[in-house]
Amino acid sequence: MYPLSAVPLETCAIWDESGFWPPGYLALGVELLHHLGMAEDAGDDAFRTLAYEMLARMQDPCTSREECVITDQEEMIRTAIAYGVPVAGRRLEDVARAIARAIIADYLPDQRSP
């Protein structure tokens, strides 16, 4: 069991259904994006700043020690296909991180439906 899965996050289902849990900072960041999205007074700048900061951190080499925890490889592959993430010839960790980037990008204001 992944340690953060015991924390009552509203976004737990995203990771449970994706077949993996990202590093803790990403799970908590997505939770914050979720709450900002629900707040009536949160502007697009808050989303954009937080989402881009998270995406930038995922590119930082020092985060490579912070691995994703694969909970269901088959479900993760299905999720990757649904998000258009290539899987052939890639390490599972790389696929999981690409899915996490796609989930974060869903929160960007210019990506959301009006």
Side-chain angles (χ1 to χ4, degrees):
M1 175 182 226
Y2 182 68
L4 256 175
S5 64
V7 177
L9 302 177
E10 289 183 17
T11 55
C12 281
I14 292 171
W15 310 116
D16 288 338
E17 294 169 6
S18 294
F20 75 98
W21 273 80
Y25 73 92
L26 284 177
L28 293 173
V30 167
E31 180 75 4
L32 181 54
L33 285 170
H34 171 73
H35 285 281
L36 282 171
M38 294 178 60
E40 292 180 16
D41 59 346
D44 282 348
D45 287 343
F47 283 107
R48 191 173 286 110
T49 301
L50 181 58
Y52 282 128
E53 182 65 32
M54 290 170 62
L55 290 170
R57 177 153 180 191
M58 289 184 76
Q59 303 303 322
D60 188 345
C62 71
T63 62
S64 63
R65 293 182 306 253
E66 302 172 24
E67 299 283 323
C68 295
V69 175
I70 312 301
T71 56
D72 185 334
Q73 182 177 338
E74 290 177 9
E75 189 60 42
M76 189 183 78
I77 299 301
R78 282 191 288 275
T79 301
I81 292 167
Y83 272 98
V85 171
V87 295
R90 297 179 80 185
R91 292 180 333 120
L92 292 177
E93 171 71 18
D94 295 335
V95 172
R97 291 175 81 75
I99 294 168
R101 283 191 296 273
I103 289 170
I104 293 166
D106 280 348
Y107 285 97
L108 289 170
D110 52 345
Q111 302 292 324
R112 291 182 300 192
S113 302

